[in-house]
Amino acid sequence: MGTKKLPLQTYGVLDPRVERTTIEADHTELSKRGWQLFTTEASNAEDITSVMGAIGDRLGARAVGRARAIQEVIQPVAAGQAHARSLSAKFGLGEFPLHVELSHRPRPCRYVLLGCIDPGVPSTATRLINWRELGFSAEERDALTSAPILVNTGRRSFYATLLSQEHGFLRFDPGCIEAVDKRGQEAIQIVADLLACAIPHEHSLIQGEILLIDNWVTLHGRGPTAANTGRQLARILIDG
Ligand SMILES: [Fe+2]
């Protein structure tokens, strides 16, 4: 898969010691591109998550992830050690496909914050792509807003469409989305094919960097990794 490098410029520099109320983040890049990169001088999990919380709390309420926590530290895990319906259970240490976080909820969370505690050795690139740049045709948009798909969450599984009626968010996650008929199969294939042809932006986070992703417009994924690289990212999810 080809990739584009994220621009090296940073869009905001935050001091981990500043008071939450004094953080003035400019989110122009977030609304323009669908994500924003912050550099901080934070070097430990506590400081990094503190800055992430300050950024996230300005945007909305915290959402709980699969582990039922409002703040998590994630690291690559082998398939056998992962939550049954997580992407890790399916893809383990291999390449993580581009996906929308919390696609298994009726409405995916609005923002994802990833903070780099340890990039690992070797580091693993995070991949990003804004679905509005995939160039869906009018017919394809119709298919994505009308074809039913199954969101498999076990006992609370439900039917939905890939694109919300008002085109506010895309739902896409190979870990929990299944076709139940030919139309759904075609809708999933439309997104999969365009993603396969698209060139994602790629960035290897360094310690202290924080990536703010608008999860309604930007899919994220990860390159292949290995066990015990030491990679650790803090993750906070926000309902806008
Ligand atoms: Fe994710």
Side-chain angles (χ1 to χ4, degrees):
M1 180 193 288
T3 55
K4 285 186 225 161
K5 294 283 178 206
L6 274 187
L8 287 178
Q9 74 186 103
T10 53
Y11 304 120
V13 180
L14 300 175
D15 183 336
R17 293 160 297 183
V18 298
E19 293 294 321
R20 284 177 173 230
T21 51
T22 65
I23 289 178
E24 291 295 335
D26 172 5
H27 292 141
T28 312
E29 287 296 325
L30 177 68
S31 46
K32 205 166 75 183
R33 306 174 69 92
W35 68 84
Q36 186 163 4
L37 187 64
F38 297 89
T39 51
T40 77
E41 292 177 4
S43 59
N44 60 62
E46 192 183 342
D47 284 347
I48 292 167
T49 51
S50 162
V51 180
M52 293 166 67
I55 296 169
D57 292 344
R58 289 165 53 92
L59 294 168
R62 306 239 186 146
V64 294
R66 282 203 187 268
R68 313 303 303 161
I70 57 164
Q71 181 172 303
E72 297 168 77
V73 173
I74 53 174
Q75 49 201 351
V77 288
Q81 297 164 349
H83 183 287
R85 287 191 186 81
S86 67
L87 279 176
S88 290
K90 207 164 180 175
F91 299 96
L93 301 169
E95 179 181 330
F96 252 43
L98 290 155
H99 63 281
V100 174
E101 199 72 24
L102 299 191
S103 281
H104 66 283
R105 289 197 339 187
R107 195 175 75 148
C109 61
R110 179 65 195 269
Y111 301 105
V112 176
L113 279 152
L114 297 175
C116 184
I117 300 167
D118 188 333
V121 181
S123 63
T124 307
T126 297
R127 293 172 177 161
L128 301 163
I129 202 151
N130 184 326
W131 65 258
R132 294 177 197 272
E133 294 171 6
L134 291 177
F136 295 130
S137 67
E139 294 77 33
E140 288 170 336
R141 279 180 185 260
D142 282 349
L144 300 188
T145 49
S146 62
I149 46 98
L150 177 69
V151 183
N152 188 349
T153 64
R155 279 186 304 155
R156 293 186 180 166
S157 296
F158 59 95
Y159 293 101
T161 57
L162 293 183
L163 204 53
S164 65
Q165 295 304 318
E166 67 287 4
H167 300 175
F169 62 81
L170 180 75
R171 180 193 307 283
F172 197 74
D173 181 342
C176 67
I177 283 172
E178 297 172 14
V180 285
D181 64 9
K182 192 160 174 291
R183 289 173 65 215
Q185 211 167 33
E186 286 168 356
I188 292 171
Q189 202 58 48
I190 288 168
V191 181
D193 286 349
L194 286 172
L195 285 176
C197 294
I199 299 176
H201 293 267
E202 183 166 289
H203 182 68
S204 292
L205 289 161
I206 61 170
Q207 189 181 63
E209 279 188 330
I210 295 169
L211 189 56
L212 170 60
I213 302 169
D214 183 340
N215 189 48
W216 283 9
V217 299
T218 299
L219 295 94
H220 63 280
R222 184 205 70 197
T225 185
N228 306 318
T229 64
R231 175 179 159 96
Q232 279 195 321
L233 299 183
R235 180 173 63 189
I236 290 178
L237 308 175
I238 301 288
D239 276 326

